[in-house]
Amino acid sequence: MVDDKLLSILVCPQDRGPLLLAGKDWLYNPRLRRAYRIEDGIPVLLVDEAVAIEDDAEHRRLLDLAGSAESG
């Protein structure tokens, strides 16, 4: 799990904007629809390793995961 303090300073390496914690395995940039995996608690913030989220349902799922993490 990514620490809240670390999450507050992490940014997307592509657009330098904030990332959302989507569950325990992903950091998500909804602006670019790119997901960055978290391996053993370490974010892999490499543009070439990001997963493009083209499916609208998957985009909503990641946003829902991020929203539920923020609310509780």
Side-chain angles (χ1 to χ4, degrees):
M1 190 74 169
V2 176
D3 177 88
D4 287 339
K5 188 173 182 177
L6 177 61
L7 184 59
S8 72
I9 61 172
L10 291 177
V11 296
C12 174
Q14 192 166 0
D15 75 355
R16 300 289 185 220
L19 295 166
L20 302 175
L21 180 61
K24 61 178 182 167
D25 297 322
W26 296 98
L27 289 172
Y28 186 52
N29 179 339
R31 299 168 306 284
L32 300 179
R33 289 189 171 207
R34 298 182 66 80
Y36 298 90
R37 73 183 183 283
I38 300 170
E39 284 187 7
D40 298 322
I42 301 170
V44 180
L45 295 176
L46 301 171
V47 173
D48 292 342
E49 296 284 326
V51 177
I53 306 299
E54 297 174 6
D55 181 61
D56 288 338
E58 181 65 4
H59 171 71
R60 285 190 301 277
R61 186 183 78 81
L62 289 169
L63 288 176
D64 287 346
L65 280 172
S68 64
E70 289 175 2
S71 64

